[in-house]
Amino acid sequence: TQLLEQSPQFLSIQEGENLTVYCNSSSVFSSLQWYRQEPGEGPVLLVTVVTGGEVKKLKRLTFQFGDARKDSSLHITAAQPGDTGLYLCAGDNYGQNFVFGPGTRLSVLP
Amino acid sequence: DAGVIQSPRHEVTEMGQEVTLRCKPISGHNSLFWYRQTMMRGLELLIYFNNNVPIDDSGMPEDRFSAKMPNASFSTLKIQPSEPRDSAVYFCASSWDRANTEAFFGQGTRLTVV
């Protein structure tokens, strides 16, 4: 069974700070997705990374896929209260199965 | 399109009762997923369908759980009999295809079994 670990589990920061959250596994994934989930809602896709070493930017969010396609990071610059939510990574095992990590719960205080 | 529609949004039932959760996927999507989310276990895939056919139900916890997809626009997840440990938020999601594509989630059904 493939497992994804995410760290930290909880993160509370002040508006304007930078942060990085991590998604790690001992398994190789064909692609990895990052979702954000707000209270009372379902997860919403932020990005999909496919190539080892790939870096994608979405405004203040920077996503990186590890060279070996086993891990990924999400960096947020100048966090805003609107960034508050549960950040989930999800790995695709070459179409065999699709697993979610436990998530990082981010709180950005004004 | 209104997105993935789930009903009911909230369900409170007594232990032993049958519970049926409903999902209408986005029109044109050929993959449908049922997930369960709890604080302890996170988001778990229960079952997924491709072109209305169940492909992987290895996440279904036990025989009390069953899922059907009679057509491309409707799916149900049934729990019979329900138990307090089934309390969770159940999400339905759909996508164009199984792999490497965006999954669109519904708003979820919050189930409480007392």
Side-chain angles (χ1 to χ4, degrees), chain A residues 26 97 99:
Chain A
S26 58
N97 55 38
V99 294

Side-chain angles (χ1 to χ4, degrees), chain A residues 51-108:
Chain A
T51 306
E54 182 177 6
V55 176
K56 282 191 173 179
K57 292 191 175 183
L58 184 65
K59 296 182 180 179
R60 295 176 294 100
L61 279 60
T62 301
F63 305 84
Q64 184 164 6
F65 202 11
D67 291 340
R69 303 208 308 276
K70 294 182 179 180
D71 54 82
S72 181
S73 63
L74 160 58
H75 181 79
I76 301 178
T77 303
Q80 299 177 0
D83 297 326
T84 294
L86 178 67
Y87 288 81
L88 297 159
C89 64
D92 191 340
N93 176 28
Y94 300 92
Q96 297 301 312
N97 55 38
F98 200 46
V99 294
F100 275 83
T104 292
R105 195 167 295 278
L106 172 65
S107 177
V108 182

